[in-house]
Amino acid sequence: AFDYNKDFTKSSLDIEQIYPAWTDDPKKIKEEVDTIIAKKRIPFVTLEAWLKDSKWEGREKSLLTDTSSGYYDPLIKGVCSQFANYHQEIWIRWGHEMELTAYAYPWQQNDPGKFIPAYRHVVAVCKSSGNQHMKFIWAPAGDKGAEFYWPGDEYVDYIGVTGLNIANNHHFKYFLQEKYDRLSGFNRKIIICEFGVIGSPEEKKAWFADALQNFSKFPLLAGVVYFNAVNPVLWDPELQVKPNWSVTPDIVPVSGK
């Protein structure tokens, strides 16, 4: 889970996700990872390429070309070097949901030709830290066009997709099927990196129950990470308020992955 509310601190989870910006203090990122490891969980680091409040602010439009040219190598090395001595898996996700354009992340530029070399460069620089236990998650939302952003087999350990249900659709199989069909041909295990549903506690329980019954119908599905927080941005104007994906342990029918 991404457990912003700390509701699952004592629960038996296999994976814990955090969302640091690559401009954050690398030592503080390492402290967060150490805390996750101490709980015997896999650290899942979604490294976000924000440039706000930093000396790089104002270069958002050239983010991808700057990244592939090495301009941000100090930031990438600063973070990944902190993981050099770990002896367990650490998951790294950079440039997530790159095929979408509505969210206005600076890495969402509707340009596979710029994104792919930037993503490859981030992976290559991270790998140069020498830690063979880092696993890299290429994570589109899974929508139409995601396949054009595939960076190549050597740059991807897992495929990630987004599984946020804003339509109160209780048929999980149909919700995931299109994304799964689009990406399963790349022959990588698939992680739902952001899993969530909005609605009443009863509606959320129904969604979990339906999902649990259907996980086995997707043989490449290897993990599910719940996004336990209020969405930080209002990315769908029709919702009028930020979606609240939060749940408590009594709503979730299963602990762990």
Side-chain angles (χ1 to χ4, degrees), residues 47-76:
L47 189 62
E48 297 192 309
W50 294 113
L51 304 177
K52 297 176 181 178
D53 301 320
S54 74
K55 65 181 181 180
W56 289 279
E57 188 172 13
R59 298 184 65 97
E60 285 80 5
K61 290 184 178 180
S62 60
L63 173 73
L64 296 178
T65 53
D66 285 345
T67 299
S68 57
S69 70
Y71 188 78
Y72 295 113
D73 282 7
L75 296 178
I76 303 167

Side-chain angles (χ1 to χ4, degrees), residues 25-250:
D25 183 346
K27 292 182 179 179
K28 290 185 177 180
I29 298 174
K30 183 179 184 299
E31 288 174 3
E32 289 190 83
V33 170
D34 287 341
T35 299
I36 293 169
I37 291 174
K39 290 183 278 189
K40 301 186 184 303
R41 298 172 176 174
I42 296 173
F44 181 0
V45 180
T46 292
L47 189 62
E48 297 192 309
W50 294 113
L51 304 177
K52 297 176 181 178
D53 301 320
S54 74
K55 65 181 181 180
W56 289 279
E57 188 172 13
R59 298 184 65 97
E60 285 80 5
K61 290 184 178 180
S62 60
L63 173 73
L64 296 178
T65 53
D66 285 345
T67 299
S68 57
S69 70
Y71 188 78
Y72 295 113
D73 282 7
L75 296 178
I76 303 167
K77 291 177 181 178
V79 174
C80 290
S81 65
Q82 297 295 317
F83 309 146
N85 297 319
Y86 288 131
H87 298 289
Q88 71 158 72
E89 277 197 11
I90 299 176
W91 294 0
I92 309 292
R93 179 172 73 143
W94 185 90
H96 64 288
E97 299 176 346
M98 76 296 289
E99 84 274 28
L100 304 183
T101 57
Y103 300 175
Y105 292 154
W107 53 90
Q108 293 175 329
Q109 298 187 7
N110 195 29
D111 192 336
K114 290 182 180 178
F115 178 85
I116 290 172
Y119 176 90
R120 288 174 174 173
H121 187 79
V122 170
V123 172
V125 173
C126 273
K127 284 184 175 181
S128 71
S129 71
N131 186 343
Q132 302 302 311
H133 300 284
M134 283 190 288
K135 302 297 181 181
F136 295 92
I137 300 178
W138 173 76
D143 289 5
K144 184 178 179 180
E147 61 273 23
F148 299 117
Y149 289 82
W150 177 250
D153 291 359
E154 65 184 289
Y155 298 97
V156 180
D157 296 296
Y158 299 105
I159 291 174
V161 298
T162 300
L164 298 173
N165 176 19
I166 64 172
N168 291 325
N169 177 355
H170 298 299
H171 300 289
F172 173 82
K173 181 178 184 297
Y174 302 106
F175 178 81
L176 183 61
Q177 191 71 60
E178 184 177 353
K179 296 171 185 274
Y180 186 88
D181 290 345
R182 182 172 291 122
L183 301 174
S184 58
F186 291 120
N187 197 31
R188 289 288 185 274
K189 294 291 187 180
I190 294 175
I191 310 292
I192 302 178
C193 297
E194 295 178 3
F195 185 58
V197 59
I198 58 175
S200 68
E202 290 74 23
E203 288 173 322
K204 290 183 177 183
K205 284 182 180 180
W207 172 250
F208 276 115
D210 183 67
L212 185 60
Q213 291 177 355
N214 283 282
F215 283 158
S216 62
K217 296 177 181 178
F218 300 93
L220 290 175
L221 184 60
V224 177
V225 183
Y226 197 84
F227 191 89
N228 192 38
V230 176
N231 214 77
V233 295
L234 180 61
W235 42 262
D236 187 341
E238 293 184 4
L239 294 175
Q240 298 181 340
V241 295
K242 296 177 181 178
N244 185 0
W245 314 108
S246 301
V247 294
T248 51
D250 61 295

